[in-house]
Amino acid sequence: MVRIRRMETAASNLYKEKVIRGFCHLYSGQEACAVGMEAAIRRDDAVITAYRAHGWTLTRGATMIEVLAELTGRQSGIQRGKGGSMHMYRENFFGGNGIVGAQIPLGTGIALAMKYKKTDNLCVTLYGDGAANQGQVFEAYNIAKLWDLPCIYVCENNGFGMGTSSDRSSASTAYYTRGDYIPGIWVDAMDVLAMREATNFAAAYCRSGKGPIVLEAATYRYYGHSMSDPGTSYRKRDEVDDVRKNRDPIAHFKDRILKSGLASEEELKKIETDVVKEVSEAVQVAKTDKELGPDELWENIYPDNDVWKMRGVTPFEWRQPKI
């Protein structure tokens, strides 16, 4: 959680310095959701999420350099700088999707593939409360239950769909009940252990062949919807400060492990020191690494292409991409 928090703070600073351009949605405050769930699933399980994907990319195994360099459009980024904030992928991590709610039927399809292959894997399909009222959500629920697909649908409810509170956008804010014929669980996603245990239960449910399940992860974001949103026109600063003071997932977990004697202050301070060093090194690479040249526009159009030539701007320009 500390790695995600520090990384996102660095991303915020890079955006303010105009090193990062375009969209940038930060995960600060929501770290316990990704970390708790990752602790309860396997690396060969799949995860697909929306555009607030930096934290999930890191927990799925990417390096901090890969994430921050992707944000600055450098070649050491996880997509070599081509994807940016909303489009990060790696093995068994299907993004990072920029279209609101579009990842929900995609995640359902991934779960279908797992059932078709007769594995015991599952797909964690995440979306925000802002996407929860879309028709495609309920269409996905329906087919997932008809075919008992191994899908954990997770509504990361941070209280706001862009600048609209869930109370104003949803006639029912009990998102965990939206599955109707699919069971649901409400989880305090500011508590990393609660998130882990709820996911353990949900994963066992899916792997047993009972079909999909819905989790509502009640969380909170500290920044605005994106970096272009100050996040103060639809909520008061005091509200954010109160959550930071009384519900912060990192401070809450730190207090618990210190009181239980599972770690010392010195051990936790060393974690902080190591993370600060990791972030500093990643920021340096993200600022100084090379950007891709124009020739790269010809690459990654088709996988393993050694047959077709690609047409350029004019009918007279054709090129065989490198593999």
Side-chain angles (χ1 to χ4, degrees):
M1 290 192 291
V2 172
R3 292 180 74 224
I4 296 174
R5 178 71 58 84
R6 291 280 187 175
M7 181 184 73
E8 294 292 62
T9 300
S12 171
N13 293 335
L14 289 169
Y15 189 93
K16 291 170 184 174
E17 295 171 19
K18 297 185 179 181
V19 179
I20 295 174
R21 300 296 186 108
F23 293 104
C24 187
H25 305 83
L26 302 182
Y27 205 60
S28 299
Q30 300 184 209
E31 298 90 349
C33 187
V35 173
M37 295 200 77
E38 189 64 59
I41 61 175
R42 305 195 308 241
R43 279 297 192 202
D44 59 347
D45 291 326
V47 173
I48 187 168
T49 188
Y51 38 75
R52 202 176 302 279
H54 309 162
W56 270 105
T57 308
L58 197 66
T59 59
R60 286 266 85 189
T63 67
M64 201 173 290
I65 287 175
E66 287 177 325
V67 176
L68 289 178
E70 186 62 35
L71 291 173
T72 59
R74 309 296 171 137
Q75 63 183 14
S76 52
I78 194 164
Q79 259 56 65
R80 304 192 70 209
K82 291 182 174 184
S85 175
M86 298 189 287
H87 304 103
M88 299 185 186
Y89 312 92
R90 74 184 316 275
E91 187 176 3
N92 296 318
F93 180 57
F94 294 83
N97 292 268
I99 305 300
V100 177
Q103 73 279 6
I104 301 166
L106 293 177
T108 306
I110 295 166
L112 171 60
M114 290 168 167
K115 182 161 186 173
Y116 186 81
K117 292 178 180 178
K118 294 182 170 57
T119 70
D120 69 340
N121 295 111
L122 56 84
C123 182
V124 176
T125 301
L126 300 112
Y127 56 96
D129 51 289
N133 296 320
Q134 293 188 355
Q136 61 184 333
V137 178
F138 300 96
E139 292 176 20
Y141 283 173
N142 182 61
I143 203 71
K145 183 54 190 171
L146 274 173
W147 293 342
D148 280 336
L149 303 181
C151 192
I152 304 176
Y153 293 103
V154 184
C155 177
E156 288 187 284
N157 179 9
N158 61 25
F160 299 92
M162 296 188 73
T164 304
S165 70
S166 55
D167 290 331
R168 291 184 62 207
S169 67
S170 301
S172 169
T173 57
Y175 297 105
Y176 68 99
T177 67
R178 296 286 192 90
D180 187 13
Y181 35 77
I182 300 174
I185 304 172
W186 183 93
V187 191
D188 179 3
M190 303 299 272
D191 183 339
V192 68
L193 297 181
M195 202 66 227
R196 183 192 66 181
E197 292 310 301
T199 308
N200 272 327
F201 177 88
Y205 182 91
C206 285
R207 295 193 208 280
S208 68
K210 294 177 182 176
I213 191 168
V214 177
L215 299 185
E216 179 185 345
T219 184
Y220 197 84
R221 58 169 162 82
Y222 292 156
Y223 290 90
H225 172 71
S226 69
M227 282 300 296
S228 60
D229 167 24
T232 53
S233 60
Y234 49 86
R235 61 182 181 179
K236 296 180 179 178
R237 291 186 185 276
D238 290 346
E239 178 184 322
V240 182
D241 291 342
D242 181 67
V243 175
R244 283 184 180 271
K245 181 179 178 181
N246 297 309
R247 295 178 56 209
D248 182 77
I250 297 175
H252 176 69
F253 186 57
K254 178 181 178 180
D255 184 58
R256 290 177 72 173
I257 59 178
L258 285 174
K259 286 181 177 177
S260 61
L262 294 173
S264 66
E265 285 278 9
E266 290 72 24
E267 289 172 318
L268 297 184
K269 188 172 289 186
K270 184 178 185 307
I271 292 173
E272 287 275 1
T273 303
D274 291 344
V275 171
V276 168
K277 181 181 178 183
E278 182 185 12
V279 171
S280 178
E281 292 172 352
V283 167
Q284 183 64 22
V285 173
K287 283 183 171 182
T288 59
D289 194 26
K290 292 181 180 179
E291 296 179 354
L292 295 177
D295 283 351
E296 193 70 24
L297 291 170
W298 298 89
E299 308 305 321
N300 305 121
I301 299 172
Y302 294 102
D304 302 326
N305 175 37
D306 58 355
V307 179
W308 303 313
K309 290 185 177 180
M310 303 298 166
R311 177 186 149 161
V313 177
T314 73
F316 310 104
E317 184 181 10
W318 294 82
R319 192 177 301 188
Q320 180 71 54
K322 301 186 297 292
I323 296 179

